Amino acid sequence: MAPLLMALALAAAPADLVPPSPPPAAASGSSGSIDPAAATRAYLDQLPAEQRAKSDAYFEGGYWLTLWDFLYGAGVFLLLLQTGFSARMRDFAERVTRIRALQTGLYWAMFTVVVAVLSFPLSLYRDYFREHSYGLSNLSFGGWFGEQLKGLALSIVFGALAMMALYAVVRRLPRTWWLWGAGVAIVFLAFAALITPIFIVPIFNSPKKLEDARVVAPILSLARANGVNASEVWEVDASKQSKRVSANVSGFLGTERITLNDNLLNRASLPEIEAVMGHEMGHYVLNHIYKGLMEIGIVIVLGFAAVAWGFGKLRGRNESKWRVRDVGDVAGLPLAALLFTAYLFVMTPVVNSIVRVQEIEADMFGLNAARQPDGFAQSALKLSEYRKLDPAPVEELLFYDHPSGRARIFMAMRWKAEHPETWGRGASEGELSH
Ligand SMILES: [Zn+2]
């Protein structure tokens, strides 16, 4: 009995936590004060030049990928229209069933599969070969392909439901559908945000309850201090896919949960983990999901209005070739998708800025909540493995959906300089030791 218990205890023994690393000299406050600019530079200099060149190249390549993604997708949608293939898929759906909603669902399933097949070369390059060439993916080809198939199945099922609802609105309200349809889209986005952590994440990963009290206790304490309604902490095995560190606080209406990924647990010290969790709790406490849905909702209303306008102009002119009858005809979906993706492409800086502003707010909240400016700076450096560390201001404005590493480290060092009670003479032994 005793050896069995010992074996069990050993098996359950948590791995060692990463020890906190001391801040660089310029950020230590040993001289009695901290110059935020000098402290920021000292942190930025910790990232080896070679690694910095690599993450700059990866991130800048992403700017171009946004353009290639749009152009490639536009080509696919145009091909479906010009060859009459979209109309043929609609004709087939109409032969199979007389029920209009089922025709829409069936068309959507065919459309999704055809688009996935035609877009496969680009996604193979972008999501498999490119990620591997930068050392950012841990998936084998089989594992990656399996995830693609799961994603395809999910978008067939949930996308069909959304399309059936959307087209029902378009057909009943052909003149004002863009307004009501945007409402339908927002409801589906909210639904996705609600079910993703609980029903979708387990399709790709295996979340489990985190039991290590050394990590759980301070996180739950931080949660209680900030009104986050969660009593458990979860761990998700993201190392299956990549080495990216991440966490989130998700859910509403009783589905709240705090989740850390295993990369964060295995690669970050407790002060870094606390800094990251303070940020994630900020998203939750500041109601970013609701605010984001409203802001993105405005972007969608304007986008649907643009689609309604463009659809009217282009459909009539190409009626004989495309055989799209009206805006309620599902065969016109590639045209609607073409117009909407063009709109989103133009709106990229706006959408990025909506998200980035929330990220800055969560950063500020997290610094105040966790009071770990060095942990915050160190985790910002880890995120710079795949995000350019020190961009030009206009570059950050256009392309960044999170603040850059430099902006985040500067924010942390300014906070630290202005809160000497956390490191200066006012700090107690206990505060200094973690
Ligand atoms: Zn965030």
Side-chain angles (χ1 to χ4, degrees), residues 279-280 283 359 362 402 408:
H279 167 101
E280 300 302 337
H283 282 309
E359 294 300 330
H402 280 67
R408 290 182 130 167

Side-chain angles (χ1 to χ4, degrees), residues 111-419:
F111 172 82
T112 310
V113 171
V114 170
V115 169
V117 169
L118 292 175
S119 308
F120 187 73
L122 182 62
S123 54
L124 183 65
Y125 162 72
R126 182 191 57 211
D127 303 330
Y128 185 77
F129 286 114
R130 184 167 184 265
E131 291 295 303
H132 276 272
S133 74
Y134 283 98
L136 290 170
S137 176
N138 291 338
L139 286 170
S140 66
F141 181 77
W144 175 80
F145 192 67
E147 291 201 344
Q148 297 293 111
L149 290 180
K150 284 181 191 174
L152 183 63
L154 285 170
S155 56
I156 288 175
V157 173
F158 289 103
L161 294 174
M163 283 302 144
M164 280 150 75
L166 202 53
Y167 269 96
V169 170
V170 175
R171 284 164 196 152
R172 272 173 196 78
L173 304 159
R175 278 145 64 99
T176 53
W177 69 265
W178 52 274
L179 192 55
W180 308 110
V184 171
I186 295 161
V187 168
F188 270 91
L189 282 180
F191 176 70
L194 178 68
I195 67 161
T196 297
I198 301 185
F199 297 106
I200 307 297
V201 170
I203 295 174
F204 295 90
N205 290 86
S206 317
K208 59 174 199 271
K209 226 178 115 176
L210 182 62
E211 307 285 0
D212 189 341
R214 294 170 304 174
V215 179
V216 172
I219 289 177
L220 287 182
S221 171
L222 195 59
R224 283 188 293 272
N226 292 287
V228 176
N229 193 12
S231 53
E232 295 171 344
V233 179
W234 289 69
E235 173 186 350
V236 63
D237 55 339
S239 59
K240 189 176 144 190
Q241 284 96 359
S242 78
K243 60 175 188 165
R244 298 176 186 221
V245 298
S246 173
N248 64 74
V249 177
S250 61
F252 45 95
L253 305 174
T255 66
E256 294 87 351
R257 63 166 63 179
I258 297 172
T259 309
L260 283 71
N261 80 11
D262 58 345
N263 293 323
L264 181 65
L265 283 166
N266 296 329
R267 298 184 54 207
S269 65
L270 192 54
E272 289 175 78
I273 294 174
E274 289 179 11
V276 169
M277 295 321 295
H279 167 101
E280 300 302 337
M281 288 179 197
H283 282 309
Y284 179 87
V285 173
L286 298 170
N287 292 312
H288 279 168
I289 286 222
Y290 308 107
K291 291 179 195 165
L293 280 171
M294 278 194 284
E295 290 166 338
I296 296 298
I298 294 169
V299 173
I300 293 175
V301 171
L302 295 176
F304 279 14
V307 170
W309 177 79
F311 201 100
K313 292 245 171 250
L314 293 171
R315 187 202 65 86
R317 246 181 260 166
N318 299 279
E319 198 164 7
S320 57
K321 189 178 266 178
W322 294 352
R323 290 198 292 121
V324 176
R325 296 164 193 149
D326 54 45
V327 70
D329 176 4
V330 77
L333 186 62
L335 177 57
L338 173 62
L339 291 165
F340 196 63
T341 52
Y343 166 78
L344 281 184
F345 175 72
V346 173
M347 292 292 276
T348 303
V350 174
V351 174
N352 280 348
S353 294
I354 288 174
V355 180
R356 191 179 64 252
V357 166
Q358 290 200 338
E359 294 300 330
I360 294 168
E361 288 175 2
D363 280 353
M364 290 174 177
F365 184 98
L367 278 170
N368 289 322
R371 303 175 80 76
Q372 295 287 6
D374 290 297
F376 189 90
Q378 282 151 357
S379 60
L381 273 186
K382 285 201 172 71
L383 297 175
S384 296
E385 285 166 359
Y386 51 85
R387 190 177 294 134
K388 189 176 178 182
L389 187 61
D390 192 4
V394 67
E395 200 178 357
E396 189 158 352
L397 192 74
L398 293 177
F399 297 118
Y400 276 61
D401 63 0
H402 280 67
S404 66
R406 183 209 61 234
R408 290 182 130 167
I409 293 169
F410 181 76
M411 188 191 286
M413 290 303 106
R414 188 179 55 194
W415 188 96
K416 189 177 180 183
E418 293 173 359
H419 292 82

